[in-house]
Each structure stands twice: as C-alpha cells, then as structure tokens.
Amino acid sequence: MHRVLRKLAKKHKLTNKKREKTAMYVEDFVEILQTNLTTTRKKYGHGRYRIQLALFHHFAGFSANRLQAVLDFCYRHIIFTYEFTKQFLGLKDANTFLIPEIIYDLFLVLSFYVFLLGLVLADSAFAALNFTFAEQLSKLDIRPGTNQLPILLDFSMANVLIFRKSITTAYGIEISKTELLLYTTLLPLVKKLGVLTGFSQIHRFYGLRYGAGNAFNQSGLFCIPLFYCKHADARTFVKYYFLRRVTADTAAIVRGLEPQYELMRAACRMSRWINLDRLQELTEEQFFFVNKDFTIQQLLARRAELKCRFEGEATKQPRQRSALLKQIQSKWDLEHPVKEIELQLSGFKLTENVKATLDLSDEMPLIQRRLVETVMTLPGTTLEKEFRRRDAAIDAVAAYCKYEEGGPFRGRKPRRNESSMSPSGADLQVIVAMAEKQAVDAAMLSVFTEKRPFICFVCLGRKSLSFEKRVYSFASPGDFTKHFKRKHLSQIKKGQKLYCNICPMQLEHKMHFQNHAFAIHGTVS
C-alpha cells in the first residue's frame, strides 16, 4: 500500500512532508470568537448557528474532547449548580469537568456560561418555568446549612441535542428539534471564519485539540492529557499531539537562563500571522479570468450540451480559482514584508491609535449589535456591575438564538437615508424604532388592501426576520409570486401545520394556504 502511495505521489508531484500541526492557543481563540460575533460578511442562515459555533469552540478548546462526541451532547449531559459545574459523556468512560465561572473575566467571549446559558434559556430548558431571564440568576442564593443549589433542567429536554441543524420551512429557516448538526456542515463555516479573521493557515477544529493537549502537557502533570484525551499510553499523545514546531526556549534552557515563555508562545501562535490586508478572495476580474482558460471553455461548452453527464469536470473550475488565489496570496506574503520594511526605512512612522469604542459595520442588524456590545464589554468595577454585565450578555445570546439571519441579500439592496442617521445615541435608536414601526404598519395595510401587493405577507409576519427582509418590496407582483413559490410553497411538507401570523389563523393544508393567500392577501400562486 505504501509503495502505491509513493508512486501516486511521484506521478502527481505531491509532497511527502507531513502537514504542519498548527495549535490554536487562547489568544488565537479570542480572535476567532470575536470575528464570529462581529462579522457581517458571513451569513449563517439562522442566528443559533453563530452561537453554536462559538460554544463548539469552547467545548473542543477547553476539554480536548473528540469532535463528534461534542456534537452528540444532549441536555442530560449537563449539570448546573450555583457553583456552575458541567458534566458530559463521550462514547468512552465518562469524564466530569468542573469549570468555575471567572468573575471579572476580561473576555466574555471566553466565558463558557454566557453561550451555554443563552442556549438553555432560548430552548426554555430549565425545570423552573419562571426562570426565563439571566437577571434572575443573580437573585438565587444558597440556603444556610447547605453547600450548593442545583439548577435542574427540564426532564423532557434530557435527550434533546444541544447542537442542532437548521431546516427550511414554508415560513423561512428554523432550527430542527431532533436532527443533529453535522460535522461536515461546520467544516466550511470554520474554514471561512479563519479566512475572515486573517489567518494565513487553515483554521481546523483539531487545532483546538492540539492547543488544549499541549496546554495540559505544559501544566506539568503529564497524566492530564492522557486522561482527558483517552489515550492508552503516552506514545499516542507524543506522535499525534506534540507540535513539530519546538515551542521551548532551548537556548535559554541549555545556557541555564530563565526561559522566555511568553515570547516563545507569541512566536508560535496562529494570530502572529494575522494580516487583514492579505487577499481573502478573488476579485471579480480575477474570478472571471479563470473562465477564459481554454480547458474551462471546453468544459463549459460540454456542460451546456450534456448537463446530465457533467459530473467530475465540475470540480476543475473551482480548483483553478483556488489555485489562483493561493498563488496570489503566496506572492503577497513574499512581497508585502519587503515593501513594509522599505516604507519604514524611508521615514514612514507607524502610529497606534487606542480605540475606546468598537468598530461595528453599519450593515450589522440591531440584534447582532446588541450581542456584540454586551459580550465584548470591559469588566465591571463592582461585583453587582459584573453580574449585570454577565446577565446582559446571556440574555443577548438567548435572543440571538431565535433570530433568522438569512442568506445573502437577493435583489436590490435598500438605500440608507443619510439624513435620518445624523442623531446619535438614544435619540437615534428612538427615531429608528419609530420609523420601523411606521414602515411595518404601512406594509401590514398594503397586504390587506392592495389587489396585487408587492410585499410578502409570510415574511412580514415573521418577527424573527430582520426589518429590511420583513418589509422588502419586490419590483413587481410577478417577482413576488416567484419568491412566494420558491421560498414558501415549495418548502411545505405533507402533514406540516400551516398558519398565517398576520391574520392570525391556522390553515389545514397547502391548498387552503394558497386560497387564503389569494383571497385575503392578493397573492397569486
């Protein structure tokens, strides 16, 4: 077998070097989680995906557990007490991790409980029915004579998965109650997240295991990685988890000096190579340049003639685009440092401005802005303020779990009214809220009074959608009909419960739904 692999590698000019084991340390962890919360360049379809992705990083990064075992977590694997303890079961023997809450934590993005409690509140999974807001957590106390207060979860939620996939229904994108979020679904999301963060290396989940395993090893107790990672002996850990990049300060150790631990750690982490100026995707001209290739032109012509037989060749075009992007990035990595050095030697001085506020995109929805501003705040000066900071972040996470992000914006992009954006602070929020309410009321009136409306009554009734998508006006009634058929009618499954959120009323079947849409809301289908 190895002989065959060597022949194939020689034939296709493949390298025989092993892939570098890039470990993700906590500093890289922070960069990834901050990008995940703040980016508007990547849409997840549903807001819960953004939160689940952050929580998955926490589970994998702090426990070094197997990735599929993390995805299999159910609510029965978690135990809360007022000291906040966590327990989960893998496919092997059970491990119990005691993770205390860190008061005055500088980064709430590293707070395991902010994201987990947000998901629990969004699912209404607590046994106490009145426990619906994080603020109520601060009101709990431990009875004298006891040492803990268990916060029990609803028994009916015991087998409910924590990481669940999204499904498309007639009313938009929703989170399934039973279907598991697949690892293959997370892989492209994680890879794109690493690109948006600015890493030159590919971000993989196993980098979290490498980082956690090496952190356990550097703790001085070699039994810890063997126990957590479930390895039979140390050779497995040494072979697969030890980094090929030596992280120890060997010169200082040999000379008998104090090793420069922090300097060596900074030199080996992924965030060292972050540079947002590096090309992250091809420009439009470079993208279409690939189509001018003679081979691609032949394949495109063949695809037009024989669509049913066009399979394997479809991968050649994206492969060439990927190769072109890597070629441009490699060239930039070689040329940019030289240009930077020449620029500074010519007399250019770098200035570092200390930012007191977050740089948030104007395209960021208000609910995502609330999430970012609460999670990425500085610690409070008192214990009461710190509790309020934590509770606000948990409530923001719970609210975002019910928000439908949607995919890339289709059709005309709405223009912003610059004159209405001149106020600032609370006045601006009041003005925006009033303007949105007036627009929603006008849209509600139109779907009842107009003979052929331009606004979708189904999207208008979904409060989880963004304001722009709820009141979006199509170019013509025909465009609206195409949207209604593609987005709503085609997603109706046999036996599915149908309803109209605007009227409101329950509809018996698909034909009833179509009749109601035409008779009440003027929607032709």
Side-chain angles (χ1 to χ4, degrees), residues 26 122 154 200 203 250 258 286 307 405 443 477-478 483:
V26 67
D154 190 351
S200 62
H203 172 33
T250 55
E258 185 71 22
Q286 294 168 341
K307 286 187 177 181
E405 290 188 3
H483 159 84

Side-chain angles (χ1 to χ4, degrees), residues 167-172 410 456 458 480-494 496 498 510-511 513-514 523-525:
I167 55 175
T168 304
T169 67
Y171 302 96
R410 297 176 65 94
C456 178
V458 181
F480 167 41
T481 298
K482 294 177 185 177
H483 159 84
F484 184 72
K485 290 180 178 179
R486 182 188 70 251
K487 192 75 174 179
H488 304 298
L489 284 184
S490 64
Q491 304 299 333
I492 297 178
K493 298 176 177 59
K494 188 176 181 180
Q496 180 182 349
L498 303 173
K510 183 176 180 179
M511 186 62 70
F513 181 71
Q514 288 180 274
T523 302
V524 178
S525 60

